[in-house]
């Protein structure tokens, strides 16, 4: 049977190489490499995954560890120190501050675009294969709200207990100036956090680890510990609480087959935390402030 015109140059090169006494093998098909079939494919997938993490939350994990070591070695207890999540980049210059805020949010989403590109090259329909699309908005919203309601109250109680026990810094969800863009930026920041974390650390990482042959339990542990690692700057409580949250999110993602509800849940949790702190800080006795 003859070869197609598309494959002919490759076959001719192989034959010519053999006739010249050179050991020439056909290059693996792109799909084989990207799906992790064979040693070359697995190496490419491992490299790809490490690069994506190094450009995003893996690097954040290293940064959080360094920050945590600094907090531990600083005089005084952890609860006497503060970790600010959304602070001003240009105090006293609101328009410049806004520009920096929007730039930070937009640039943080670039790794998600990279993941979408890599999935498309794999032959998958981009982020849709992870269940991050607009095909089931109300389904995603309903389940996301349910998850947020269950985790939110338990998470707040755990944080207050960890801080009281000296295992956590005082978390300051926002320290932005009182300007018109304060709450819109906090909402955008919450959405950015949720998209980056759930697409990369949950859906993308589980997909790649599965393709690399990791067991479901090993992948669950890796995803959950990574989630906890980049929250270490908050203290031991922040690490443990987010590891537990990671386990819950992995189990929910595997059950539903969609990351959309978990993006919604995470966004709602952060919106309530950021906005609630902005409205209540200094006005209620149970909410710790620096």
């Amino acid at each position: 049977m003859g070869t197609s015109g598309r494959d002919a140059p490759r076959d001719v090169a192989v034959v010519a190489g053999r006739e010249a006494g050179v050991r020439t093998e056909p290059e693996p098909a792109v799909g084989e490499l990207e799906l992790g079939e064979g040693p070359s494919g697995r190496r490419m997938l491992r490299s790809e995954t490490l690069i994506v993490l190094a450009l995003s939350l893996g690097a954040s994990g290293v940064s959080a560890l360094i920050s945590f070591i600094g907090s531990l070695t600083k005089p005084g207890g952890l609860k006497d120190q503060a970790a600010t999540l959304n602070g001003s980049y240009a105090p006293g210059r609101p328009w410049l501050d806004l520009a920096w805020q929007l730039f930070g949010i937009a640039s943080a989403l670039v790794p998600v675009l990279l993941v979408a590109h890599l999935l498309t090259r794999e032959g998958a329909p981009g982020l849709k294969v992870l269940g991050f699309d607009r095909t089931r908005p109300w389904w995603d919203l309903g389940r996301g709200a349910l998850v947020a309601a269950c985790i939110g109250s338990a998470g707040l109680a755990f944080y207050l207990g960890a801080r009281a026990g000296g295992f956590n810094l005082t978390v300051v969800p926002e320290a932005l100036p009182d300007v018109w863009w304060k709450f819109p930026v906090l909402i955008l920041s919450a959405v950015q956090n949720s998209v980056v974390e759930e697409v990369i650390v949950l859906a993308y990482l589980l997909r790649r680890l599965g393709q690399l042959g990791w067991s479901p339990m090993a992948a669950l542990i890796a995803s959950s510990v990574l989630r906890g690692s980049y929250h270490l700057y908050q203290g031991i409580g922040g690490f443990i609480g987010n590891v537990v949250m990671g386990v819950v999110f992995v189990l929910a993602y595997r059950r539903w087959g969609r990351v959309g509800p978990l993006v919604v849940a995470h966004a709602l949790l952060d919106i309530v935390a950021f906005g609630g702190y902005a409205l209540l800080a200094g006005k209620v006795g149970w909410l710790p402030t620096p």
Side-chain angles (χ1 to χ4, degrees), residues 46-247:
R46 279 195 295 268
S47 298
E48 174 198 300
T49 305
L50 290 173
I51 290 171
V52 169
L53 293 179
L55 292 172
S56 56
L57 294 165
S60 297
V62 176
S63 174
L65 175 60
I66 296 172
S67 177
F68 178 60
I69 293 173
S71 297
L72 281 178
T73 55
K74 186 176 181 179
L78 290 179
K79 68 178 182 179
D80 296 323
Q81 303 175 48
T84 302
L85 307 189
N86 295 283
S88 175
Y89 291 124
R93 306 180 68 184
W95 286 104
L96 181 62
D97 199 351
L98 175 59
W100 278 118
Q101 298 290 341
L102 296 178
F103 171 76
I105 291 169
S107 59
L109 289 170
V110 172
V112 176
L113 298 179
L114 175 60
V115 166
H117 171 72
L118 293 170
L119 291 174
T120 301
R121 289 193 62 194
E122 175 188 313
L127 298 180
K128 186 175 182 179
V129 73
L130 306 178
F132 187 56
D133 53 36
R134 295 178 294 176
T135 58
R136 306 176 69 181
W138 294 111
W139 193 92
D140 291 345
L141 181 61
R143 279 157 180 74
L146 180 62
V147 171
C150 294
I151 290 181
S153 55
L156 177 59
F158 181 80
Y159 159 68
L160 294 175
R163 182 186 175 277
F167 299 108
N168 224 73
L169 285 77
T170 299
V171 177
V172 181
E174 71 84 24
L176 296 177
D178 290 324
V179 292
W180 65 268
W181 49 260
K182 176 176 182 173
F183 285 97
V185 162
L186 289 176
I187 292 172
L188 289 175
S189 178
V191 172
Q192 171 252 300
N193 289 341
S194 64
V195 171
V196 172
E197 292 189 37
E198 306 316 327
V199 168
I200 295 178
V201 173
L202 180 61
Y204 167 77
L205 184 59
L206 290 180
R207 180 179 179 86
R208 285 295 183 253
L209 294 181
Q211 291 170 335
L212 287 169
W214 287 46
S215 70
M217 179 58 69
L220 179 148
I221 293 172
S223 175
S224 302
V225 170
L226 176 57
R227 185 188 295 269
S229 72
Y230 56 79
H231 288 92
L232 257 177
Y233 68 92
Q234 299 177 10
I236 299 173
F239 172 79
I240 295 175
N242 278 279
V243 168
V244 174
M245 176 177 167
V247 171

Side-chain angles (χ1 to χ4, degrees), residues 8-26:
R10 175 178 162 183
D11 294 340
V12 169
V14 172
V15 172
R18 288 173 179 167
E19 291 176 350
V22 179
R23 186 177 182 274
T24 307
E25 298 295 337

Side-chain angles (χ1 to χ4, degrees), residues 271-286:
I271 288 171
V272 171
F274 298 167
Y277 186 89
L279 295 172
L280 299 177
K283 299 178 182 178
V284 293
W286 56 265

